[in-house]
Amino acid sequence: MSDVTVPYTRKSLTEAPGGTVGDFIALMKPRVMSLVVFTALVGLVVAPGDLHPALAVIALICIAVGAGASGALNMWYDADIDVRMARTAGRPIPRGSVTPEEAFSFGMVLSIGSVVTLGVLVNWVAGALLALTIAFYIVIYTMWLKRSTPQNIVIGGAAGAFPPMIGWAAVTGGVSIESILMFAIIFMWTPPHFWALALFRTGDYERAGVPMLPVVAGEKETRRQIVIYSALLVPLGVVPAVIGLGGAAYGIIATVLGAIFLGLALSLWRAEEEAKRIEIAKRLFAFSILYLFGLFAVLLVERLAAGFMS
Amino acid sequence: MAEHDDQEAKRRQRMRSIAIGLALAGLVLLFYVATLVRLGGNVLNRPL
């Protein structure tokens, strides 16, 4: 955040009205938070063992607040580039509703609070994983990789992949092959998801000076990399059915959704015309969300159904 | 205009204060519930 230029920095209470409660909620990126909570919930439910429902709810609240804290710290650090991108120019700091200092304090209080609460009330393995997630997202991704390498989201994607592991650890108190597999699925899913977005938002990233793959290596290379990561992701998405984490329904749905995912990635690779490419990239971006949501939803439903039947 | 801004600033500050108050009350409830759940029946076990 070396050269943050935001519309104003509020010096006194009366100089500007300050942020509303809604502005502070917006700092927590509620939409990202909802996907984090959902994948963490799946990790909690599919994990073997018993966790009192009240403690499960507390774990989910802590994970949600930790994710929100990461969002606020990310907006604090990225205020200078957010102001230059159409997608992010309306965020509370570029808009001038919240000062960077307020966002930083807000993010730090929530980060420490969520980690300590999760550690004390649930267990310290889950607490440590939440701390690692926040630190990874802010220090490794936001401060370091995002502005320095086109592979930013490949490694940075790990931050978004931790929540089901935290949910799993909240129940079991540890890490296992199943939770690492859920991590790996989200990790492999992140590059094609964000590169599809970057393909139709290239101008934004270029203006902000963020070295996203289409800006640095060109859209053709981006489409090639999307196919490679999709080809790795799709079989990985089926593995939970092989190791018994998911059942037959999971296996079938993961195969069908995976085939559509790969089909879209291949048609994006083959699309010659620019308008067509943008249209397919938008479809792939939207479908990628459905894909990940679908896989985790089936895992959840299968486990809940098995619970009702036994 | 300045008076209007001042009023708006105070209104927003009041709303933020209420939100912080609710969040702290929620945190107290969270620790209270977790204590009961973790201690279970032992919560009443207080030998003199």
Side-chain angles (χ1 to χ4, degrees):
Chain A
M1 206 186 61
S2 52
D3 60 340
V4 177
T5 45
V6 290
Y8 73 83
T9 302
R10 194 153 37 87
K11 294 189 185 70
S12 69
L13 184 68
T14 50
E15 191 178 312
T20 61
V21 173
D23 288 327
F24 283 90
I25 292 173
L27 278 180
M28 298 173 80
K29 300 191 181 179
R31 275 199 304 179
V32 176
M33 207 203 261
S34 62
L35 196 63
V36 165
V37 169
F38 176 66
T39 55
L41 170 71
V42 176
L44 266 168
V45 172
V46 301
D50 282 320
L51 182 68
H52 191 286
L55 293 179
V57 170
I58 289 172
L60 284 177
I61 291 171
C62 291
I63 296 167
V65 173
S70 306
L73 290 172
N74 169 271
M75 285 198 206
W76 156 71
Y77 195 83
D78 276 351
D80 58 333
I81 53 178
D82 280 353
V83 80
R84 282 180 252 162
M85 297 202 287
R87 186 171 67 87
T88 52
R91 286 178 174 175
I93 302 176
R95 217 177 51 232
S97 311
V98 174
T99 65
E101 293 78 13
E102 284 169 336
F104 176 74
S105 310
F106 183 63
M108 286 305 288
V109 168
L110 293 187
S111 297
I112 296 167
S114 59
V115 168
V116 171
T117 307
L118 186 62
V120 170
L121 300 186
V122 183
N123 68 57
W124 280 102
V125 174
L129 281 172
L130 183 61
L132 179 68
T133 307
I134 298 170
F136 199 94
Y137 185 63
I138 301 306
V139 180
I140 308 288
Y141 172 70
T142 306
M143 292 183 173
W144 178 30
L145 298 170
K146 185 172 178 180
R147 300 177 193 224
S148 62
T149 165
Q151 295 299 309
N152 48 16
I153 49 139
V154 177
I155 304 155
F162 276 119
M165 267 179 112
I166 306 173
W168 181 282
V171 178
T172 64
V175 173
S176 69
I177 186 76
E178 291 93 340
S179 68
I180 292 171
L181 180 60
M182 288 188 284
F183 170 91
I185 290 171
I186 304 179
F187 184 75
M188 294 309 271
W189 166 88
T190 310
H193 168 76
F194 276 108
W195 285 334
L197 171 75
L199 276 177
F200 59 89
R201 294 277 190 184
T202 309
D204 254 8
Y205 289 111
E206 218 162 356
R207 265 193 304 282
V210 177
M212 283 299 267
L213 197 60
V215 178
V216 177
E219 57 80 28
K220 192 171 180 190
E221 176 60 16
T222 307
R223 288 184 287 139
R224 195 177 75 88
Q225 299 256 2
I226 285 178
V227 172
I228 294 170
Y229 277 93
S230 303
L232 293 170
L233 166 70
V234 170
L236 194 65
V238 184
V239 175
V242 180
I243 66 164
L245 183 64
Y250 177 87
I252 294 165
I253 291 170
T255 307
V256 172
L257 290 179
I260 299 171
F261 197 114
L262 199 54
L264 277 170
L266 285 169
S267 56
L268 179 65
W269 165 243
R270 282 195 298 263
E272 295 293 331
E273 207 184 312
E274 196 190 342
K276 180 94 179 149
R277 275 203 303 269
I278 288 176
E279 188 208 315
I280 300 173
K282 282 182 179 173
R283 268 173 36 207
L284 178 61
F285 176 72
F287 183 79
S288 66
I289 297 169
L290 180 74
Y291 173 81
L292 192 68
F293 180 81
L295 293 196
F296 278 83
V298 181
L299 281 181
L300 184 69
V301 170
E302 272 186 342
R303 194 52 61 101
L304 291 178
F308 278 122
M309 290 193 196
S310 62
Chain B
M1 187 65 188
E3 198 180 325
H4 176 265
D5 278 355
D6 194 31
Q7 271 181 358
E8 178 62 13
K10 281 184 177 162
R11 193 187 71 80
R12 290 186 182 188
Q13 193 179 44
R14 191 162 52 243
M15 294 308 287
R16 290 198 298 268
S17 302
I18 291 170
I20 292 170
L22 289 174
L24 289 175
L27 198 60
V28 169
L29 188 68
L30 221 65
F31 273 80
Y32 178 69
V33 170
T35 306
L36 289 185
V37 168
R38 283 207 166 272
L39 292 181
N42 292 325
V43 78
L44 297 174
N45 183 15
R46 300 183 65 190
L48 293 170

